[in-house]
């Protein structure tokens, strides 16, 4: 890996990046909240509800640990984009030979495909719950609406896109947390769930799924571009921008973490004794039956907002990855249409959509080290980052996070393939 002596940003894809500002805006928050949508997508819903319904409060610790990791990871990604003026995919694309670069892009695209699969399926399930729309047509509707959301970014720039996504995040927060206030949560058991432990191979599978749904690879890639594209490359303003970014990331991760933990607590309190909760539809029916139709409706609305917002951000991330690694610029709407196909195929078959969501999150978990290890390496490189490179203590903590994630994935593979109970 060679050093980049200058911090000159490469030209982003026209439809991926908004024009940078040439002065620091008064309101600096926003990019982290867009990235945070990845942390409350339908994959999170499937993984968290399944974990709570099957294991109660036992896996609360996974969400807490994952959210702490996410806070660190997203800040490093945003910092790298601001300091270098380049996205993480661009930095990697400049430093890799052609063969490794294509291989790296293929695994990143697989991760992006898994992300999109979960988001479209989740939105389709929500439309089916709310309006009885068949799953296949629901997937088509989600794809069309996501194209409309992406057109906001393409035509009006990043700031209006941020406002739209943050509005959807508010709806998601209300929808997924409403039931928590009327459910009988055992706070003592929830506190006991902070003790790390597993119970058989399936609990490891769910933990990996929850991790993959929380620390999402495509969010790692895209946050560097979101921060760079919003603020431009302004070396003289970096202290102020980085300070604002820390607050941006902290606030967004608190919101995302609260929503995820609320989902697991809701399932642990209300769904353990219910039947048919192995699907999102069944969980919704149980929530409506136990906590009332209003809570069930708010949950479904939150799920729909989650699918619409996250699939738009996921497509944005996919375009960032392709542009940075391959220097190929596919029109955003064309990419949206192509990446919609796998999800529609799943929805047209007899595959259990909820289980497909959970497995997609496992794929994401396996892809995390490929995004995270280069990020830690680059953000700690003084020849690239200058005085903003990670300090030794932060670099050590970052590598420990990478090691923990890899260890969980190795355990997942060994236990699942070995069939241990």
């Amino acid at each position: 890996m060679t050093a980049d002596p200058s911090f000159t940003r490469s030209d982003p894809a026209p439809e991926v990046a908004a024009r940078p500002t040439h002065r620091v805006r008064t309101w600096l928050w926003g990019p982290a909240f867009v990235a945070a949508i990845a942390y409350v997508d339908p994959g999170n819903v499937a993984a968290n509800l399944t974990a709570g319904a099957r294991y109660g409060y036992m896996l609360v610790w996974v969400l807490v640990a994952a959210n702490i990791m996410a806070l660190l990871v997203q800040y490093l990604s945003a910092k790298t984009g601001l300091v270098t003026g380049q996205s993480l995919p661009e930095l990697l694309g400049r430093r890799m030979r052609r063969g490794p670069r294509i291989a790296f892009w293929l695994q990143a695209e697989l991760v992006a495909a898994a992300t999109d699969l979960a988001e479209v399926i989740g939105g389709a399930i929500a439309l089916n719950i709310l309006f009885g729309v068949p799953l296949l047509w629901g997937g088509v509707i989600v794809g069309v609406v996501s194209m409309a959301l992406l057109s906001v970014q393409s035509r009006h720039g990043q700031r209006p896109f941020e406002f739209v996504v943050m509005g959807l995040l508010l709806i998601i927060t209300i929808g997924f947390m409403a039931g928590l206030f009327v459910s009988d949560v055992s706070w003592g058991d929830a506190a006991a769930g902070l003790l790390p432990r597993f119970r058989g191979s399936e609990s490891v599978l769910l933990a990996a799924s929850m991790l993959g749904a929380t620390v999402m690879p495509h969010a790692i890639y895209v946050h560097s571009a979101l921060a760079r594209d919003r603020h431009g490359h302004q070396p003289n303003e970096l202290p102020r921008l980085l300070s604002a970014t820390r607050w941006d990331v902290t606030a967004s991760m608190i919101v995302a973490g609260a929503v995820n933990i609320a989902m697991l607590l809701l399932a642990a309190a209300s769904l353990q004794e219910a039947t048919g909760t192995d699907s999102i539809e069944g969980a919704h029916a149980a929530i409506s039956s136990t906590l009332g139709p209003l809570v069930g409706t708010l949950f479904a609305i939150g799920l729909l907002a989650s699918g619409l917002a996250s699939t738009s951000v996921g497509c944005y991330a996919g375009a960032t990855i392709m542009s940075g690694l391959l220097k190929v610029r596919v029109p955003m709407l064309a990419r949206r249409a192509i990446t919609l196909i796998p999800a529609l195929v799943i929805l047209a078959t007899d595959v259990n959509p909820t289980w497909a969501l959970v497995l997609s999150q496992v794929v994401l978990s396996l892809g995390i080290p490929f995004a995270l290890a280069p990020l830690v390496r680059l953000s700690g490189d003084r020849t690239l980052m200058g005085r903003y490179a990670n300090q030794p203590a932060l670099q050590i903590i970052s590598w420990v996070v990478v090691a923990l994630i890899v260890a969980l994935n190795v355990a997942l593979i060994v236990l699942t393939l070995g069939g241990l109970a």
Side-chain angles (χ1 to χ4, degrees):
M1 186 175 291
T2 59
D4 186 351
S6 67
F7 294 158
T8 304
R9 64 174 284 184
S10 60
D11 294 332
E15 296 186 62
V16 174
R19 290 188 300 273
T21 57
H22 296 291
R23 62 184 180 86
V24 180
R25 297 175 187 262
T26 302
W27 179 257
L28 298 174
W29 291 15
F33 282 87
V34 175
I37 286 292
Y39 294 79
V40 289
D41 77 344
N44 294 85
V45 179
N48 295 334
L49 291 183
T50 302
R54 295 186 183 181
Y55 295 99
Y57 304 95
M58 189 184 76
L59 296 177
V60 169
W61 68 272
V62 175
L63 291 179
V64 173
N67 213 64
I68 293 172
M69 293 179 187
L71 194 154
L72 170 64
V73 167
Q74 294 307 135
Y75 175 68
L76 292 183
S77 178
K79 181 178 77 167
T80 301
L82 289 172
V83 173
T84 66
Q86 299 174 69
S87 69
L88 178 59
E90 287 172 342
L91 289 169
L92 293 173
R94 288 172 176 266
R95 286 160 172 75
M96 288 183 174
R97 296 189 303 274
R98 186 172 182 273
R101 180 159 45 87
I102 292 175
F104 192 92
W105 169 76
L106 287 173
Q107 66 79 28
E109 281 292 343
L110 178 61
V111 164
T115 301
D116 202 56
L117 181 72
E119 293 155 354
V120 174
I121 289 176
I125 291 174
L127 287 172
N128 179 261
I129 291 172
L130 287 168
F131 307 111
V133 178
L135 289 177
L136 179 59
W137 284 109
V140 173
I141 292 171
V142 169
V144 171
V145 175
S146 68
M147 289 182 181
L149 293 177
L150 287 169
S151 70
V152 172
Q153 192 278 334
S154 298
R155 295 179 181 179
H156 304 290
Q158 185 169 322
R159 190 59 178 148
F161 180 67
E162 289 175 1
F163 277 124
V164 172
V165 172
M166 290 170 73
L168 290 172
L169 180 59
L170 177 62
I171 296 172
I172 293 166
T173 303
I174 295 171
F176 288 151
M177 296 191 71
L180 192 62
F181 297 99
V182 294
S183 58
D184 188 19
V185 175
S186 173
W187 296 105
D189 290 340
L194 296 173
L195 177 66
R197 63 193 188 278
F198 294 111
R199 190 189 305 156
S201 60
E202 188 175 3
S203 67
V204 180
L205 176 67
L206 279 172
S209 179
M210 293 160 69
L211 178 65
T214 304
V215 187
M216 299 188 76
H218 80 284
I220 299 174
Y221 293 121
V222 77
H223 199 169
S224 57
L226 287 167
R228 184 274 315 274
D229 295 342
R230 166 74 123 78
H231 301 299
H233 182 48
Q234 305 182 74
N236 294 334
E237 296 287 352
L238 279 175
R240 185 184 180 200
L241 290 173
L242 292 175
S243 176
T245 296
R246 282 191 289 271
W247 285 104
D248 190 22
V249 172
T250 300
S252 64
M253 290 299 104
I254 288 175
V255 172
V259 171
N260 279 313
I261 293 173
M263 281 189 277
L264 189 144
L265 296 180
L266 175 65
S270 307
L271 303 183
Q272 283 198 81
E273 303 299 326
T275 58
T277 56
D278 56 346
S279 68
I280 291 179
E281 298 95 327
H284 168 264
I287 290 171
S288 298
S289 175
T290 305
L291 303 178
L294 176 60
V295 174
T297 299
L298 289 174
F299 173 85
I301 292 173
L303 179 62
L304 178 59
S306 171
L308 293 174
S310 55
T311 193
S312 302
V313 175
C315 190
Y316 188 110
T320 298
I321 292 168
M322 177 176 283
S323 173
L325 289 171
L326 298 187
K327 308 301 179 186
V328 174
R329 299 171 181 176
V330 177
M332 192 83 77
L333 298 185
R335 181 183 174 87
R336 165 72 282 178
I338 294 171
T339 56
L340 189 62
I341 295 173
L344 295 182
V345 170
I346 294 291
L347 292 172
T349 63
D350 294 328
V351 175
N352 183 326
T354 301
W355 194 238
L357 281 176
V358 173
L359 290 180
S360 72
Q361 304 312 296
V362 176
V363 173
L364 295 180
S365 183
L366 294 174
I368 293 170
F370 293 98
L372 186 51
L375 173 64
V376 173
R377 169 68 181 87
L378 290 170
S379 61
D381 186 350
R382 290 195 175 276
T383 61
L384 176 67
M385 301 288 289
R387 66 188 179 97
Y388 298 104
N390 299 337
Q391 295 300 312
L394 179 59
Q395 192 72 350
I396 292 172
I397 293 172
S398 300
W399 282 119
V400 169
V401 168
V402 175
L404 289 173
I405 292 173
V406 172
L408 180 59
N409 287 329
V410 170
L412 165 68
I413 295 170
V414 172
L415 290 175
T416 302
L417 295 182
L420 300 180

